[in-house]
């Protein structure tokens, strides 16, 4: 997941589709994000590379739509509904997730365990 | 023909008028000082007050001198018959001082390591020559400065060769938090214990200037003798002074010594190196003006008997002989130029016993040769006057010494606008005022709410005019009365969206995904940010290209931003027109904050003529949330987390 200058960023991603639920006037997803290009990346507890300014999931509320959909704490969000999230400010990320006229957000997330899972599956002879 | 008394009284009234004028200015300065709240204003007012006081002092002492001279004259006339004053007076001249630079000597620890609190002083120079007093502009000095530089050029017009130019450096401590004069003593002592010893000590010293440091008002700069109306506010103290005289005059920069008054304990102390560099130039009138002119006859060429009639002009170090008097104005080259300088010898001689005129022989040494010119005037009186003029010229040159070698240049300061004070940081972000009620997040939230509400309460009649921006079909004005008062500026907005029309699907409302919307508008956010909000007036012109494509109108509108943001704040969230620019904030463009803030504020200000008749859309919960958000965002130590 680390960024090598000049190389395209590649990651193994998982598609997660979260159905927003309505809570009064708001649509909530049930998780919290941290990070952004305007934030200090060294304070990110979840990132492997402490210069990574991506958007990470910092908290998933229990039983919320995000947890149900399979989002896990520590996930790095790569895309939301097709919009890139690797080079956005914190506020932009929040807005992309909280669009009022969208009921569904489709995320592409990546996490360390995914890579390992893929690697393991490739190594094991089928 | 005025008698001595009348002349004196005319001068009296002149001086009296000047005194009255200065007193009025002083009153104004006192009032300003009492009224102003900002430190800068108070310092400026205090400076003009000090200058006024000095001027009043000077005028009054001159008045005194003149009255004394009158009395002496009267006494002298009664006692003896004084003839005409035979003493020769040297001509006056202009003296100019410019580019004053005073080097400072900070301790190296202070300067390089930037330790300790920033001790700032406001300084200015008071220059006095004869009866004229001028002050320079005020300069703020702190330890980031190595020299105090004053850009002003001060010209004194009537200076005699034995002038004394007194330069006084006044400084006033400028601490940010308190004005020295007004804090009550008890509070001051409390503060001194809580602020820390050094700053408290400074404050106490500032409040009680007499205690710690001697304020010397010796010499001519006596500004404390008048019963000055005591005003609260910053007080300047004399920090250093120097006296410059004729030997210091030179055509380039020189360093002179400064006498420093005050010591380290004073609040207004600055570590002066002890010298001042400046350019002191003088232009005596004998160098710049025609001292004598008239018709002459000069022997030219080889013809010993032939006299040529010329028009002679004595100016500076030369006697110019022109063919005719008109040539002088016409700037025609003179027929003959005779140098008149310290080396010249002039003598009058009797040429012919039968001709009445004397002739004047002017001898110069050019190289090794001695060249003599012979001139004659028409009458004996003329000859006498010419000789007198030459003698006066020689006398002036002996008095003004090095100033008469060559004409020194004095650059008069051109009337310029005062230099705009540029803030220390150059970044635009530092200039912008972010008002807590103007969080963009709040704005977009509200706008998206608004859009939703309109969607839900669908009805053609209530479509706000700006909706037509997102629409294909031109709409009839729904609210002509509302927008008629709006001044339709050249609206590039319809033109901007025009190109994108084919791409977007037709829909009566802004139902397109915000993503799509932002793709449209994001491409235009770099161009004209003050998107005018007269879509209503232009919705007919939706299909027409506005003639003015204001592509170059983008400029960071930070100076007017304050005004616009305050208008935003005043109007709360009731302006709907901001939605025009909503999507610009969504798109991530290289200049997000600037563009968005300025565009949103400009639209709101444009729409201020609407009077905000839209339903007051106040969301206090959003305001509180945005306040917290903004505070959290602006704190760089936080690693923000947002709940979604």
């Amino acid at each position: 997941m680390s960024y090598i200058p000049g190389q395209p960023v590649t990651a193994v991603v998982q598609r997660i589709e979260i159905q927003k639920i309505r809570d009064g006037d708001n649509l909530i997803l049930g998780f919290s994000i941290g990070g952004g290009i305007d934030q200090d990346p060294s304070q990110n507890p979840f990132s492997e590379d402490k210069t990574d300014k991506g958007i990470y999931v910092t908290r998933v509320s229990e039983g919320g739509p995000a947890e149900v959909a399979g989002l896990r704490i520590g996930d790095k969000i790569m895309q939301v509904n097709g919009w890139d999230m690797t080079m956005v400010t914190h506020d932009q990320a929040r807005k992309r997730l909280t669009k009022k006229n969208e009921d569904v957000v489709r995320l592409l997330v990546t996490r360390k365990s995914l890579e390992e899972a893929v690697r393991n599956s490739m190594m094991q002879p089928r | 023909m005025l008698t001595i008394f009348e002349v004196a009284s005319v001068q009296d009234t002149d001086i009296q008028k000047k005194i009255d004028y200065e007193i009025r200015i002083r009153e104004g300065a006192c009032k300003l000082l009492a009224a102003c709240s900002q430190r800068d204003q108070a310092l400026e007012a205090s400076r003009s007050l000090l200058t006024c006081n000095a001027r009043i002092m000077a005028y009054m002492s001159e008045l005194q001198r003149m009255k004394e001279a009158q009395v002496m004259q009267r006494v002298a006339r009664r006692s003896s018959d004084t003839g005409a004053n035979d003493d020769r007076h040297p001509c006056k001249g202009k003296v100019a001082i410019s580019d004053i630079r005073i080097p400072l000597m900070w301790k190296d620890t202070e300067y390089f390591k930037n330790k300790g609190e920033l001790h700032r002083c406001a300084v200015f120079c008071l220059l006095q020559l004869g009866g004229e007093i001028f002050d320079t502009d005020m300069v703020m000095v702190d330890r980031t400065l190595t020299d105090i530089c004053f850009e002003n050029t001060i010209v004194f017009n009537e200076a005699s060769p034995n002038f004394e130019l007194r330069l006084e450096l006044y400084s006033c401590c400028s601490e940010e938090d308190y004005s020295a004069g007004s804090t009550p003593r008890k509070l001051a002592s409390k503060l001194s214990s809580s602020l820390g010893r050094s700053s408290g000590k400074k404050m106490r010293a500032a409040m009680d200037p007499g205690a710690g440091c001697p304020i010397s008002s010796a010499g001519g700069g006596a500004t404390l003798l008048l019963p000055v109306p005591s005003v609260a506010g910053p007080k300047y103290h004399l920090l250093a002074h120097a006296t410059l005289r004729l030997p210091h005059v030179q055509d380039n920069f020189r360093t002179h010594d400064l006498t420093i008054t005050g010591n380290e304990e004073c609040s207004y102390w600055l570590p002066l190196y002890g010298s001042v560099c400046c350019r002191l130039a003088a232009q005596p009138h004998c160098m710049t003006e025609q001292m004598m002119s008239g018709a002459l006859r000069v022997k030219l060429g080889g013809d010993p008997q032939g006299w040529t009639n010329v028009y002679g002009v004595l100016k500076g170090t030369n006697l110019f002989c022109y063919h005719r008097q008109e040539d002088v104005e016409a700037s025609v080259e003179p027929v003959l130029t005779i140098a008149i300088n310290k080396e010249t010898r002039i003598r009058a001689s009797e040429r012919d016993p039968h001709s009445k005129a004397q002739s004047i022989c002017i001898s110069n040494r050019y190289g090794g040769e001695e060249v003599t010119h012979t001139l004659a005037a028409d009458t004996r009186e003329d000859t006498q006057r010419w000789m007198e003029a030459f003698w006066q010229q020689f006398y002036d040159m002996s008095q003004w010494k090095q100033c008469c070698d060559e004409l020194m240049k004095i650059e008069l300061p051109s009337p310029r606008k005062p230099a705009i004070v540029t803030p220390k940081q150059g970044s635009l972000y530092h200039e912008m005022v972010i008002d807590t009620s103007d969080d963009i997040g709040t704005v977009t939230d509200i706008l998206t709410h608004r859009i939703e509400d309109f969607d839900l309460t669908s009805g053609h009649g209530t479509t706000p005019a700006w909706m037509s921006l997102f629409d294909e079909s031109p709409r009839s004005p729904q609210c002509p009365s509302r927008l008629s008062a709006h001044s339709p500026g050249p609206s590039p907005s319809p033109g901007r969206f025009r190109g994108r029309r084919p791409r977007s699907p037709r829909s009566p409302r802004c139902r397109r995904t915000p993503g799509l919307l932002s793709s449209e508008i994001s491409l235009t956010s770099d161009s004209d940010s003050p998107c005018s909000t007269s879509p209503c007036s232009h919705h007919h012109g939706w299909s027409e290209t506005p003639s003015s494509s204001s592509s170059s109108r983008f400029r960071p509108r930070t100076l007017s931003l304050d005004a616009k943001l305050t208008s935003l704040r005043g109007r709360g969230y009731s302006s709907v027109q901001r939605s025009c620019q909503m999507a610009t904030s969504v798109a991530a463009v290289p200049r997000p904050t600037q563009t968005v803030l300025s565009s949103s504020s400009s639209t709101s200000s444009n729409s201020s003529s609407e009077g905000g008749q839209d339903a007051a859309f106040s969301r206090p919960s959003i305001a509180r949330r945005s306040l917290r958000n903004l505070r959290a965002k602006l704190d760089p130590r936080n690693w923000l987390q947002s709940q979604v």
Side-chain angles (χ1 to χ4, degrees):
Chain A
M1 277 200 281
S2 57
Y3 167 59
I4 302 165
Q7 303 293 322
V9 176
T10 56
V12 181
V13 293
Q14 177 181 352
R15 276 210 186 84
I16 294 187
E17 184 172 310
I18 306 181
Q19 302 280 343
K20 294 189 192 177
I21 62 172
R22 185 164 286 277
D23 172 28
D25 233 347
N26 308 323
L27 287 169
I28 66 165
L29 290 149
F31 66 99
S32 298
I33 55 166
I37 55 178
D38 56 338
Q39 302 291 311
D40 178 14
S42 58
Q43 297 187 40
N44 187 343
F46 305 104
S47 59
E48 226 184 273
D49 173 16
K50 289 305 172 193
T51 62
D52 183 5
K53 295 187 171 180
I55 306 292
Y56 282 78
V57 175
T58 57
R59 200 179 60 85
V60 180
S61 44
E62 277 210 22
E67 196 189 29
V68 163
L71 196 65
R72 298 289 169 257
I73 185 173
D75 287 354
K76 176 177 174 184
I77 305 179
M78 307 296 282
Q79 278 184 21
V80 171
N81 282 346
W83 289 100
D84 170 59
M85 297 287 263
T86 59
M87 270 298 149
V88 290
T89 64
H90 185 92
D91 216 38
Q92 285 163 350
R94 187 184 57 79
K95 282 173 194 157
R96 292 218 181 119
L97 286 163
T98 54
K99 298 241 185 278
K100 303 290 181 168
N101 52 1
E102 286 172 350
D103 286 335
V104 175
V105 285
R106 293 183 182 87
L107 315 181
L108 290 182
V109 305
T110 181
R111 58 180 85 99
K112 195 81 175 66
S113 52
L114 285 178
E115 285 189 31
E116 285 176 9
V118 169
R119 211 175 300 130
N120 289 342
S121 69
M122 289 198 323
M123 278 169 25
Q124 284 169 11
R126 293 244 180 236
Chain B
M1 181 88 172
L2 290 173
T3 62
I4 290 248
F5 307 123
E6 286 160 6
V7 165
S9 57
V10 161
Q11 284 178 332
D12 266 5
T13 50
D14 271 351
I15 300 239
Q16 195 59 46
K17 270 193 219 140
K18 284 190 205 167
I19 293 182
D20 291 338
Y21 178 69
E22 290 296 329
I23 288 182
R24 273 205 308 274
I25 296 202
R26 183 173 74 177
E27 283 169 9
C30 289
K31 285 201 196 104
L32 182 62
L33 201 55
C36 64
S37 54
Q38 288 204 2
R39 186 77 190 175
D40 291 342
Q41 287 176 355
L43 288 169
E44 292 284 346
S46 186
R47 168 171 75 97
S48 39
L49 187 65
L50 201 148
T51 313
C52 284
N53 282 337
R55 285 194 180 129
I56 292 176
M57 272 302 301
Y59 291 146
M60 289 185 65
S61 49
E62 179 152 344
L63 201 59
Q64 186 76 16
R65 262 202 315 263
M66 274 174 35
K67 288 209 191 327
E68 278 171 12
Q70 260 185 296
V71 170
M72 295 296 289
Q73 280 278 351
R74 245 177 272 164
V75 168
R77 275 166 81 90
R78 258 185 255 129
S79 63
S80 67
D81 198 27
T82 54
N85 207 346
D86 265 341
D87 294 336
R88 204 184 280 281
H89 296 291
C91 67
K92 305 256 179 187
K94 269 205 262 192
V95 171
I97 184 168
S98 60
D99 304 295
I100 303 171
R101 183 173 67 88
I102 300 175
L104 295 166
M105 194 174 58
W106 300 101
K107 293 203 193 75
D108 55 356
T109 48
E110 281 184 43
Y111 184 69
F112 288 110
K113 294 185 190 163
N114 223 20
K115 267 204 289 235
E117 49 198 40
L118 199 67
H119 173 59
R120 300 185 90 206
C121 280
V123 300
F124 74 96
C125 268
L126 196 72
L127 298 136
Q128 179 171 12
L129 192 154
E132 297 177 270
I133 296 182
F134 293 104
D135 60 350
T136 62
D137 293 335
M138 190 186 74
V139 172
M140 294 297 293
V141 177
D142 56 31
R143 68 161 171 273
T144 62
L145 245 55
T146 54
D147 303 81
I148 309 175
C149 295
F150 295 105
E151 304 290 337
N152 310 79
T153 307
I154 312 266
V155 178
F156 298 95
N157 282 309
E158 294 295 320
S160 56
N162 54 356
F163 68 87
E164 278 199 8
L165 174 59
R166 191 171 156 87
L167 186 150
E168 291 174 348
L169 184 68
Y170 286 91
S171 87
C172 171
C173 163
S174 162
E175 299 293 342
E176 301 298 335
D177 299 324
Y178 46 84
S179 74
S182 56
T183 322
R185 213 167 245 298
K186 216 169 158 190
L187 182 59
S189 57
K190 278 208 184 109
L191 277 179
S192 71
S193 56
S194 57
L195 279 177
R197 267 191 312 162
S198 59
S199 50
K201 190 165 72 154
K202 272 185 209 160
M203 221 185 102
R204 259 198 293 245
M207 274 190 44
D208 183 16
C213 13
I215 301 174
S216 75
S217 58
T223 56
L224 305 174
L225 298 180
L226 260 185
V228 175
S230 60
V231 279
K235 284 191 176 50
Y236 284 94
H237 305 281
L238 182 66
L239 181 59
H241 63 91
T243 308
L244 302 172
R245 299 183 181 84
L246 187 64
H248 298 123
V249 174
Q250 203 181 347
D251 203 4
N252 44 26
F253 297 94
R254 279 184 66 172
T255 309
H256 313 278
D257 287 327
L258 262 183
T259 316
I260 303 179
T261 58
N263 54 48
E264 267 198 36
E265 296 302 312
C266 307
S267 63
Y268 56 87
W269 169 256
L270 282 174
L272 300 177
Y273 189 72
S275 52
V276 54
C277 308
C278 62
R279 182 174 174 269
L280 186 63
Q283 276 181 352
H285 288 156
C286 61
M287 296 294 286
T288 53
E289 290 172 8
Q290 296 183 4
M291 299 308 283
M292 179 77 193
S293 56
L296 283 173
R297 280 175 300 138
V298 66
K299 250 192 217 167
L300 276 179
D303 186 3
Q305 294 302 327
W307 291 92
T308 318
N309 286 325
V310 292
Y311 183 77
V313 172
L314 176 62
K315 180 173 156 182
T317 55
N318 290 309
L319 174 67
F320 299 104
C321 300
Y322 294 92
H323 207 59
R324 303 166 306 168
Q325 187 173 357
E326 295 73 29
D327 288 350
V328 181
E329 282 89 39
S331 314
V332 176
E333 285 293 316
V335 166
L336 180 62
T337 304
I338 307 174
I340 309 281
N341 52 38
K342 293 191 267 248
E343 312 293 318
T344 311
R345 283 175 295 123
I346 302 184
R347 73 176 191 282
S349 63
E350 292 289 334
R351 188 169 59 86
D352 291 314
H354 62 267
S355 100
K356 298 207 180 74
Q358 287 178 312
S359 65
I360 304 169
C361 294
I362 303 177
S363 311
N364 278 308
R365 284 195 82 82
Y366 293 118
E369 284 185 22
E370 182 156 336
V371 180
T372 304
H373 295 275
T374 312
L375 301 122
D378 288 331
T379 65
R380 190 176 277 274
E381 288 79 22
D382 280 348
T383 314
Q384 197 57 39
R385 280 197 294 126
W386 274 101
M387 289 307 291
E388 175 66 28
F390 288 135
W391 285 328
Q392 178 69 36
Q393 189 79 352
F394 284 141
Y395 181 70
D396 291 340
M397 289 204 268
S398 71
Q399 292 296 299
W400 281 100
K401 300 196 180 84
Q402 74 270 24
C403 308
C404 292
D405 291 340
E406 245 186 38
L407 188 63
M408 295 187 192
K409 278 217 311 186
I410 291 183
E411 272 176 19
L412 285 169
S414 58
R416 269 182 312 211
K417 284 194 208 135
I420 301 168
V421 175
T422 49
K424 277 207 172 135
Q425 303 113 332
S427 157
L428 233 40
Y429 289 92
H430 291 107
E431 287 175 41
M432 288 195 301
V433 169
I434 297 180
D435 190 38
T436 52
S437 61
D438 297 327
D439 182 24
I440 291 305
T442 318
V443 169
T444 56
D445 287 345
I446 292 161
L447 294 173
T448 40
H449 276 284
R450 201 80 170 119
I451 292 173
E452 249 189 316
D453 286 353
F454 277 121
D455 287 342
L456 300 175
T457 70
S458 73
H460 260 298
T462 57
T463 311
W466 56 263
M467 280 304 231
S468 63
L469 273 179
F470 308 125
D471 250 313
E472 305 308 328
S473 55
R475 298 186 160 278
S476 55
Q478 299 301 325
C479 37
S481 60
R482 207 154 43 133
L483 293 163
S484 58
H486 182 69
S487 57
S491 162
S493 37
R496 290 202 331 230
F497 293 109
R498 192 168 171 270
R500 277 142 203 96
R501 205 202 293 183
R503 278 179 32 198
S504 33
R506 293 181 72 87
S507 62
R509 290 279 182 280
C510 183
R511 280 239 78 139
R512 294 171 228 140
T513 60
L516 198 52
L517 192 64
S518 66
S519 74
E520 289 188 6
I521 304 181
S522 67
L523 294 171
T524 62
S525 65
D526 282 353
S527 67
D528 188 27
S529 61
C531 164
S532 79
T533 55
S534 57
C536 187
S537 52
H538 282 266
H539 63 273
H540 288 302
W542 178 235
S543 46
E544 303 145 15
T545 320
S547 52
S548 65
S549 67
S550 48
S551 55
S552 59
R553 279 217 287 156
F554 173 77
R555 51 194 181 281
R557 294 174 150 233
T558 48
L559 288 177
S560 56
L561 210 54
D562 274 355
K564 288 176 180 166
L565 287 174
T566 43
S567 73
L568 247 189
R569 185 204 330 218
R571 292 163 45 70
Y573 301 118
S574 56
S575 168
V576 178
Q577 262 70 1
R578 273 176 281 170
S579 64
C580 278
Q581 305 304 322
M582 166 197 68
T584 63
S585 65
V586 173
V589 287
R591 291 172 286 198
T593 321
Q594 206 168 317
T595 315
V596 169
L597 263 183
S598 60
S599 54
S600 70
S601 58
S602 63
T603 55
S604 83
S605 73
N606 277 350
S607 60
S608 57
S609 61
E610 312 293 326
Q613 289 109 347
D614 299 318
F617 192 80
S618 55
R619 304 273 300 204
S621 57
I622 294 179
R624 280 196 289 275
R625 180 155 52 88
S626 76
L627 195 71
R628 278 198 300 275
N629 283 354
L630 194 66
R631 286 220 191 98
K633 273 179 216 167
L634 293 182
D635 189 342
R637 293 171 308 187
N638 293 344
W639 188 65
L640 284 180
Q641 298 179 38
S642 304
Q643 168 111 25
V644 294

